[in-house]
Amino acid sequence: MSKEHSSVSGALSQSALEYTDVASISSTVRELRDSFASGKTRDLEFRKDQLRALLRGMRAEKRALLDAVYLDLHKSLNETELTEYSAAIFEIGLMLENMAKWTRPDRGSFSTLQPALLFSKSEIRKEPLGTVVILGAWNYPLRLALLPLIGAIAAGNTAVLKPSELAPHTAVAVEHLLTTYMDPSVVRVVQGAVPESTELLAQHFDYYFYTGSGAVGRIVARAAAEHLSGVTLELGGKSPAIVHADVGDLSVAAMRIMWAKLTNAGQTCVAVDYVLAHRSVKDRLIDLFKDAAVGMFGESFAKSPDYGRIVNGRNWNRLKDLLDKSEGAQVPLTDDELDESDLFFPPTIVDGVRPSDSLMSTEIFGPILPIITYDTLEEAIDLVNSRDQPLALYVFGSSASAERVLSSTRSGGAVVNDTMFHLVSHSMPFGGVGPSGVGRYTGKYSIDTFSHHRHVLRQPLWFPSPGIDSIRGAPFAGSENSWKMKVGPSMAYPKLRPLRETLLGRLFTLLPFWRLLSIVPGFIMALFVAKPVMRQRKH
């Protein structure tokens, strides 16, 4: 460890991560459910106080949090501050500034769309779901634990956070942060591995939020289904970068792709997993990849203070096995050798990769970059579509080429002429589709994810009159009730313009207040023949 990181304060003075007693997990969840039932988290100011407390804690424990991530992933302080710490701080500020607006009911009144609702008042209330569970990931152990937690608190829930045990120093630091600065009746931390996670998922939560692999995502989805609860799964997949012949500046494209590939040593869910390069630019692109990588980390990646390490030996060996089995041509970017003892894996480009190659069999999640050559844009699009929908898709090319790709493919998110930068935008949703994930979050979308949108309709008792109000139900038989079917459908569901079969009918919809006009004849008839359904019973 470098001298810069040799002194670790606060929570990191503990040398080992202590797992939560399995027997205590059910009582922890029960206490949080009781706390939610008390109604304390429905108060907006209370929620803001909790976020302010978290903000104070993050500022006070900043160095400990950054050091923890370094100890787990050899991620530089600057990279952690940029990609994790600052994102969480910004998310807190975004919530404090906007949560009153984002949690305010959406109201509507005086509906002329459906005459039956003419004098009704409607609102959509954003109500907290209850007690939620958040299972974080090891690759961005601060960001992927705190961002969903901030949204859950802002929406008014109580929460259990389970950090990843594969980033133990960060798990300890996050637990210290939350237990020191936040109300234990709102947030609790459960530490552990498979037994603790299994017990945690057996509990009844009102929402399940998981970031990680698809295999575990299916387990979490089954747990949510068992309780008929909602779930967000932030997974991953093989996110491609398409570099077409008409790209404006190949050197910029190369730099941005390598940045996405080598940040956190490639252990990012939206990293560029493989490159589809047009034959006319492929060789030049590889040369520019080398220049970009050396420009960021120097000639020796092993000696760079900014180049990360693989999280553990199992993942290091998994990457080596994928590379050893590949039939592509390896293009090393450095003379540095593989070093399992240091978990160092040098960045490697692999040219001439086929779709059936070992490197295309699974998400790489490391600093290996396969390159597949194509001749037409349709070839690249077909290859992307032949695989599961990725979490992200990147395309470098002209506006016309980019639009062709976007309109012909599916992915969780997409970026034109850049990579990973959509993560910066907390005003837009982040999430996958299909095998790359379910659900979305950040900013307002976190509030939506952790809220139930409850429709409340307020109807006056005086409208319509008791006789006309009988239109809603039986009796329908008899000539005296024939008016109901003449008035009822058009009151509740007026025939909109696309549903009208005649020119005269479509022209009628151009009149102001045509929906109200359409029920006038039936209304007049109803005034004469309608009778209240409720009659005083004879005794």
Side-chain angles (χ1 to χ4, degrees):
M1 190 192 317
S2 66
K3 183 178 180 181
E4 181 185 7
H5 302 279
S6 62
S7 176
V8 182
S9 62
L12 298 182
S13 61
Q14 302 180 49
S15 59
L17 172 63
E18 295 183 6
Y19 287 5
T20 302
D21 180 12
V22 172
S24 69
I25 291 176
S26 61
S27 61
T28 295
V29 176
R30 185 167 56 251
E31 289 166 9
L32 286 173
R33 294 187 71 83
D34 291 343
S35 176
F36 177 78
S38 72
K40 65 191 300 183
T41 62
R42 286 181 175 266
D43 180 68
L44 191 63
E45 278 306 310
F46 178 81
R47 304 180 208 176
K48 289 184 175 180
D49 286 342
Q50 292 302 302
L51 293 180
R52 293 186 189 107
L54 179 58
L55 179 61
R56 288 194 301 272
M58 290 193 66
R59 286 172 171 168
E61 303 290 332
K62 177 179 178 179
R63 185 53 189 262
L65 293 168
L66 300 184
D67 280 343
V69 177
Y70 177 85
L71 292 171
D72 288 327
L73 292 162
H74 197 277
K75 191 188 295 187
S76 73
L77 299 187
N78 291 333
E79 185 176 311
T80 300
E81 181 164 3
L82 176 64
T83 61
E84 302 202 55
Y85 179 86
S86 294
I89 293 290
F90 178 78
E91 185 81 346
I92 293 173
L94 198 63
M95 292 299 181
L96 290 174
E97 190 172 87
N98 295 286
M99 58 192 287
K101 175 177 64 177
W102 290 341
T103 59
R104 187 182 302 141
D106 296 330
R107 291 190 170 90
S109 60
F110 190 76
S111 172
T112 57
L113 177 63
Q114 294 170 275
L117 303 175
L118 180 60
F119 295 104
S120 68
K121 292 183 178 180
S122 294
E123 65 180 10
I124 300 173
R125 296 188 174 191
K126 286 59 171 293
E127 299 184 344
L129 293 172
T131 299
V132 306
V133 62
I134 298 165
L135 299 103
W138 57 262
N139 58 323
Y140 286 79
L142 283 181
R143 179 190 185 104
L144 299 179
L146 296 180
L147 257 61
L149 178 64
I150 291 164
I153 294 169
N157 302 279
T158 57
V160 174
L161 173 65
K162 163 65 175 65
S164 173
E165 74 280 7
L166 299 183
H169 295 90
T170 311
V172 171
V174 168
E175 181 176 15
H176 173 76
L177 168 70
L178 298 181
T179 56
T180 303
Y181 293 93
M182 300 199 68
D183 189 333
S185 69
V186 176
V187 178
R188 302 286 281 276
V189 177
V190 168
Q191 303 279 23
V194 173
E196 293 76 17
S197 297
T198 301
E199 178 64 19
L200 188 61
L201 290 176
Q203 308 305 309
H204 178 198
F205 290 98
D206 299 294
Y207 202 84
Y208 294 72
F209 193 106
Y210 168 75
T211 303
S213 70
V216 177
R218 289 177 173 85
I219 296 172
V220 175
R222 284 194 290 269
E226 188 68 28
H227 297 288
L228 298 179
S229 297
V231 63
T232 288
L233 304 174
E234 296 295 343
L235 306 176
K238 295 185 73 64
S239 298
I242 298 175
V243 184
H244 198 45
D246 57 5
V247 59
D249 191 325
L250 198 59
S251 62
V252 173
M255 183 276 292
R256 292 178 177 180
I257 290 172
M258 290 309 291
W259 167 71
K261 188 60 183 178
L262 300 183
T263 295
N264 198 25
Q267 299 167 116
T268 306
C269 59
V270 291
V272 175
D273 190 90
Y274 63 99
V275 170
L276 290 163
H278 190 272
R279 191 175 301 277
S280 65
V281 300
K282 188 261 294 180
D283 291 339
R284 175 61 177 153
L285 183 63
I286 291 176
D287 290 336
L288 291 171
F289 279 154
K290 297 178 185 177
D291 295 341
V294 171
M296 285 185 274
F297 297 101
E299 295 289 343
S300 175
F301 289 73
K303 295 178 181 178
S304 171
D306 298 316
Y307 189 74
R309 298 296 186 269
I310 305 306
V311 65
N312 54 34
R314 181 172 63 84
N315 277 281
W316 189 93
N317 280 288
R318 178 186 61 81
L319 290 170
K320 185 176 183 301
D321 187 56
L322 285 174
L323 190 59
D324 289 343
K325 292 179 178 178
S326 174
E327 297 179 357
Q330 295 186 23
V331 184
L333 301 184
T334 174
D335 293 331
D336 295 329
E337 299 290 337
L338 288 159
D339 186 352
E340 185 177 3
S341 64
D342 188 36
L343 298 176
F344 171 75
F345 205 104
T348 305
I349 292 173
V350 184
D351 191 13
V353 171
R354 298 174 182 270
S356 59
D357 195 87
S358 62
L359 293 174
M360 298 299 292
S361 63
T362 185
E363 183 177 8
I364 294 173
F365 227 64
I368 304 171
L369 184 61
I371 298 181
I372 297 176
T373 306
Y374 70 89
D375 292 300
T376 67
L377 196 54
E378 284 71 22
E379 286 180 50
I381 291 171
D382 288 345
L383 193 144
V384 170
N385 288 335
S386 70
R387 314 183 72 85
D388 289 338
Q389 303 98 301
L391 185 55
L393 185 149
Y394 309 114
V395 53
F396 292 84
S398 67
S399 296
S401 296
E403 183 55 37
R404 262 174 84 191
V405 172
L406 295 177
S407 62
S408 304
T409 58
R410 292 180 295 166
S411 63
V415 184
V416 176
N417 291 330
D418 208 336
T419 57
M420 296 205 309
F421 228 67
H422 59 309
L423 293 179
V424 175
S425 178
H426 289 215
S427 61
M428 294 293 167
F430 175 77
V433 58
S436 63
V438 177
R440 57 187 185 174
Y441 76 121
T442 65
K444 177 183 181 296
Y445 298 94
S446 285
I447 296 280
D448 292 341
T449 289
F450 288 107
S451 300
H452 170 59
H453 287 212
R454 185 186 190 189
H455 176 207
V456 177
L457 176 69
R458 302 178 189 273
Q459 286 273 58
L461 291 173
W462 54 266
F463 177 83
S465 63
I468 297 177
D469 203 21
S470 67
I471 196 174
R472 69 177 67 213
F476 293 105
S479 59
E480 70 276 14
N481 293 308
S482 62
W483 65 276
K484 290 184 178 181
M485 293 311 296
K486 295 179 180 178
V487 180
S490 57
M491 279 191 70
Y493 306 109
K495 189 177 289 187
L496 301 175
R497 186 179 305 164
L499 304 176
R500 293 181 176 261
E501 299 172 351
T502 66
L503 176 62
L504 187 61
R506 289 192 289 271
L507 290 174
F508 176 70
T509 62
L510 299 178
L511 296 174
F513 303 108
W514 68 267
R515 295 175 181 85
L516 298 180
L517 293 174
S518 66
I519 65 170
V520 168
F523 232 89
I524 294 174
M525 181 175 68
L527 290 174
F528 291 100
V529 301
K531 297 179 181 179
V533 172
M534 304 243 345
R535 297 183 177 89
Q536 187 173 357
R537 290 186 301 165
K538 296 180 180 179
H539 296 281

